[in-house]
Amino acid sequence: MFKAPKFFGKLSSKFSGKKPNIIMIMIDGARYDAISKVDYYQELKKDSVFFPNLITYAPYTIASLHAVFSGMNGNDNGVNGYYKSYSFDKKKCFTLAQYFKEQGYHTECDLIYESIIPTQGFDKVRSHNEFKDDLVKRHSEILLQIKNKQPFCLFLDYSKLHTKLVSEVIKKYSDFDEAYFKDKDNNFKKYLGWVETSADYLKSILDKTKELGLWENSVILVFTDHGVSVGDKVGEKAYGVYLYDYTLKSFLYVIGKDFSKNLEIKNVVRTIDVLPTIMDMFKLKEKENYKKIQGKSFLSFIKGEIDDRIAYSETGGLGGPTPSPEKHNVRSVRTDKWKLVYNETNKEKELYDLENDPQEKNNLIGKGLEIENKLWEEIQGNM
């Protein structure tokens, strides 16, 4: 039986006993400092609990989303490399879609490629043509159709930023193209225009949920899987090569009638925390006889109960100076203040004081700081 979560205190009277839907909208590749310059993304904070420091497990879509849907890092769920979606441990990882299907929800998704998430537990898996499909029209029609299948769990992938990055950056420049890396300001300006288009999409889809009467009976999560480079560091023209904050920092909006509004929580949370947080919202118990979820709910943060979290991240680039697409070779741990990065291929370490050096320009490795050993132990414990 469904039990109303604490944050849905008025569930029975407001929804007449209906289970709330959950709608997840991913804006693929939306950089955190770009959305801060787009009016609609800022306005959305007024209706949301906003987490601007959601740290991704991996700065590329496949490994990031497998972490979201399983609540664990790739070393546990099997997706610890660019080409490893086939290695996801389906038999021992119980996914977000499976949790909701078990509760009697209709589960559905629309994706750029089926490989970007674990699809077990979905009643319907759709995939769109990133070059041809109008996603405002397509996703509006999906909302109209799924309205009659409540309660539902719906995941929508806005892929147009990815499409632009592929056509305008990845296919156009090399990993070390001077013309690109010397033109960061213009690169960012062009990218910002694409992000503004994503805001138009998002506004249309959220307005559609209101028009269809779904806004009041849904928990809505708007998030990104990773950020992107606009020429920040030579060798990474887009994402997936390094572990600097311009690709590691993601964001999350939590929208629901009984959640706080206009609340921003700047503490570090992790993509592996998203599943247990959703389970906490809906009072779902972790499935026995499956791998343990590594993440931890951050629902208590909304009530002011903050704890310090260490985010572990990995990548293995398709290109760049030390490519390793089969298995991750670059690792980092990040706190609210510090980050340690280790490249297993060239054995190089980097330590950054993010509070005083948010652009990660001043490498403090070997300076005798006590935090270096502590973070190194964290990396070794996750390798």
Side-chain angles (χ1 to χ4, degrees):
M1 175 181 284
F2 177 85
K3 293 184 179 180
K6 190 181 297 183
F7 289 94
F8 287 90
K10 301 176 183 177
L11 184 68
S12 58
S13 59
K14 188 76 174 179
F15 299 147
S16 301
K18 292 181 180 178
K19 300 178 183 180
N21 309 303
I22 180 163
I23 302 172
M24 301 176 69
I25 304 172
M26 183 189 75
I27 311 297
D28 186 346
R31 183 170 161 142
Y32 73 96
D33 55 355
I35 69 164
S36 69
K37 300 180 184 301
V38 178
D39 289 344
Y40 184 69
Y41 279 107
Q42 296 308 297
E43 291 171 10
L44 190 58
K45 292 181 184 180
K46 297 175 183 178
D47 290 319
S48 315
V49 182
F50 179 57
F51 294 87
N53 285 307
L54 175 70
I55 306 302
T56 187
Y57 159 66
Y60 64 94
T61 301
I62 292 173
S64 175
L65 288 185
H66 279 77
V68 169
F69 275 78
S70 67
M72 61 187 74
N73 294 327
N75 291 329
D76 268 28
N77 67 32
V79 185
N80 60 349
Y82 251 101
Y83 299 147
K84 300 285 283 290
S85 60
Y86 66 89
S87 296
F88 183 72
D89 194 346
K90 295 181 178 181
K91 293 182 178 180
K92 295 181 180 178
C93 297
F94 208 70
T95 67
L96 185 150
Q98 289 175 298
Y99 276 107
F100 279 94
K101 184 172 177 60
E102 193 174 66
Q103 294 295 316
Y105 278 61
H106 174 75
T107 53
E108 195 166 319
C109 60
D110 185 63
L111 314 166
I112 184 174
Y113 310 116
E114 289 189 18
S115 62
I116 67 171
I117 64 171
T119 56
Q120 66 263 38
F122 280 103
D123 294 307
K124 189 167 189 176
V125 178
R126 306 171 185 251
S127 58
H128 59 254
N129 186 317
E130 62 175 311
F131 299 101
K132 295 181 179 180
D133 287 330
D134 180 337
L135 293 186
V136 170
K137 180 179 179 181
R138 181 182 177 88
H139 290 170
S140 295
E141 290 175 349
I142 289 174
L143 285 169
L144 179 61
Q145 294 170 17
I146 205 171
K147 176 186 176 182
N148 299 318
K149 298 179 180 179
Q150 299 185 62
F152 61 78
C153 170
L154 176 65
F155 178 80
L156 299 175
D157 170 18
Y158 177 80
S159 59
K160 296 298 184 179
L161 279 173
H162 168 270
T163 306
K164 284 293 188 180
L165 284 164
V166 170
S167 61
E168 299 292 327
V169 178
I170 294 174
K171 290 186 176 180
K172 189 173 180 181
Y173 300 101
S174 71
D175 291 333
F176 303 95
D177 197 313
E178 288 188 10
Y180 179 69
F181 289 99
K182 287 184 176 181
D183 203 18
K184 180 182 172 184
D185 289 344
N186 284 327
N187 296 341
F188 185 83
K189 184 177 180 180
K190 182 186 291 187
Y191 171 76
L192 185 59
W194 306 337
V195 175
E196 288 170 346
T197 300
S198 78
D200 295 337
Y201 156 86
L202 183 58
K203 184 178 186 304
S204 295
I205 296 305
L206 294 181
D207 284 349
K208 193 67 175 180
T209 67
K210 296 174 183 177
E211 176 189 326
L212 295 174
L214 298 172
W215 177 270
E216 282 292 308
N217 192 42
S218 300
V219 177
I220 301 174
L221 305 182
V222 177
F223 71 106
T224 189
D225 49 348
H226 57 80
V228 301
S229 168
V230 291
D232 297 78
K233 305 278 187 179
V234 175
E236 184 168 51
K237 59 187 176 182
Y239 53 82
V241 174
Y242 302 137
L243 296 175
Y244 299 113
D245 267 11
Y246 57 78
T247 61
L248 277 194
K249 279 184 68 171
S250 304
F251 58 82
L252 169 70
Y253 296 83
V254 179
I255 303 167
K257 74 175 189 64
D258 286 328
F259 288 99
S260 299
K261 306 292 189 291
N262 202 25
L263 174 62
E264 183 169 342
I265 297 173
K266 296 182 179 180
N267 300 78
V268 162
V269 293
R270 307 162 299 187
T271 47
I272 61 170
D273 296 331
V274 173
L275 173 60
T277 300
I278 293 172
M279 292 172 64
D280 195 7
M281 291 177 187
F282 288 82
K283 299 301 178 188
L284 305 178
K285 292 185 178 180
E286 186 171 351
K287 193 74 172 176
E288 296 181 357
N289 300 319
Y290 285 82
K291 287 183 176 178
K292 293 286 293 180
I293 291 173
Q294 291 178 300
K296 180 181 177 183
S297 171
F298 50 79
L299 201 59
S300 60
F301 282 28
I302 298 173
K303 298 187 293 183
E305 300 172 7
I306 304 295
D307 60 72
D308 296 326
R309 302 198 177 187
I310 297 178
Y312 176 73
S313 302
E314 295 183 335
T315 195
L318 295 175
T322 57
S324 182
E326 294 292 343
K327 188 174 182 180
H328 293 154
N329 64 331
V330 186
R331 312 173 197 283
S332 74
V333 286
R334 189 193 190 283
T335 68
D336 289 317
K337 178 176 171 58
W338 295 97
K339 183 196 287 181
L340 180 68
V341 182
Y342 174 61
N343 187 314
E344 191 173 345
T345 299
N346 60 27
K347 310 300 181 186
E348 291 183 359
K349 295 179 183 177
E350 300 168 69
L351 177 66
Y352 296 104
D353 177 354
L354 300 174
E355 191 173 88
N356 297 302
D357 179 25
Q359 301 302 314
E360 297 166 284
K361 294 181 178 181
N362 185 20
N363 184 2
L364 300 175
I365 205 71
K367 301 293 185 181
L369 298 174
E370 184 178 345
I371 191 67
E372 180 181 325
N373 290 332
K374 178 181 178 182
L375 296 182
W376 175 237
E377 290 176 1
E378 288 286 341
I379 285 183
Q380 289 180 306
N382 281 281
M383 289 173 63

